[in-house]
Amino acid sequence: MPLLINQKIVENDSWQLVDIEALEQLQDLSDADIQGDIIVPLAFYLQHRDQLLSRSGRLGLQVNGDDDLAALYAEQANVALIAVEFPTFRDGRGFSIARQLVRVGFAGEIRAVGDVARDRLAYMQSSGFNAFLIPEDRFSEDDLGAFSEVSVNYQGTAADPRPIFRR
């Protein structure tokens, strides 16, 4: 899947989503050979927090609208990336999650995953996303133009929270 970070195509993604089913079958996470930068679901992280934080490599969390976001905000200092899942087109809770992450001061990468398509890229960016994992069948080089299609935001954005009538 193509990955866009800061409006550029990235060839090598150092992050890998960990197979949780395989990890849950282990008695102890220290038995697992988990190398590099990994992304784990928030619920799994909360169960195995100390073991995951003690490993080498950066840690990322995958969340969706069903997760306990208060726990996510409390743990934001321990992670370098938060992947926000869009399970379907009509589920817009990810926009709110990204906006709240920016408001609480998260400075790492906020990545949109799942049902990500060109028609929402500019809105995702204005909500606070800075990385987008786009399914292969939906991606084209023209998607990079989506970020400049919306030249004026009437609502506040992550970059400038003031509405247009206050600018």
Side-chain angles (χ1 to χ4, degrees):
M1 285 194 230
L3 174 64
L4 303 178
I5 298 179
N6 295 325
Q7 302 179 27
K8 294 182 176 87
I9 298 173
V10 175
E11 296 296 326
N12 297 321
D13 183 14
S14 67
W15 293 95
Q16 60 181 347
L17 184 61
V18 174
D19 181 10
I20 300 305
E21 292 176 6
L23 286 179
E24 286 178 340
Q25 293 180 7
L26 296 173
Q27 295 297 327
D28 186 8
L29 277 181
S30 60
D31 295 340
D33 186 25
I34 307 172
Q35 301 297 322
D37 303 333
I38 62 168
I39 303 170
V40 297
L42 177 62
F44 184 83
Y45 168 79
L46 293 173
Q47 292 173 353
H48 305 282
R49 179 183 184 277
D50 294 333
Q51 290 175 314
L52 289 167
L53 290 175
S54 67
R55 55 174 289 285
S56 62
R58 296 182 298 170
L59 182 63
L61 299 179
Q62 182 169 350
V63 299
N64 64 37
D66 295 329
D67 287 325
D68 177 13
L69 299 181
L72 172 66
Y73 302 145
E75 294 294 329
Q76 70 174 344
N78 296 323
V79 297
L81 175 144
I82 297 176
V84 180
E85 183 181 11
F86 286 84
T88 63
F89 177 80
R90 67 177 189 257
D91 188 347
R93 295 176 290 178
F95 292 100
S96 300
I97 293 170
R99 185 66 178 260
Q100 289 298 323
L101 284 169
V102 171
R103 284 184 180 165
V104 297
F106 181 69
E109 181 178 310
I110 303 174
R111 182 180 290 193
V113 299
D115 192 1
V116 179
R118 176 193 171 102
D119 60 342
R120 296 188 292 169
L121 290 178
Y123 298 110
M124 287 177 169
Q125 182 183 35
S126 70
S127 297
F129 288 98
N130 53 14
F132 312 88
L133 190 60
I134 303 173
E136 194 75 46
D137 61 331
R138 293 186 179 178
F139 178 76
S140 79
E141 295 275 336
D142 294 336
D143 289 352
L144 295 172
F147 297 106
S148 60
E149 288 177 349
V150 179
S151 60
V152 176
N153 291 299
Y154 292 100
Q155 297 176 333
T157 65
D160 186 359
R162 300 171 300 160
I164 195 166
F165 60 86
R166 298 232 189 255
R167 293 183 209 157

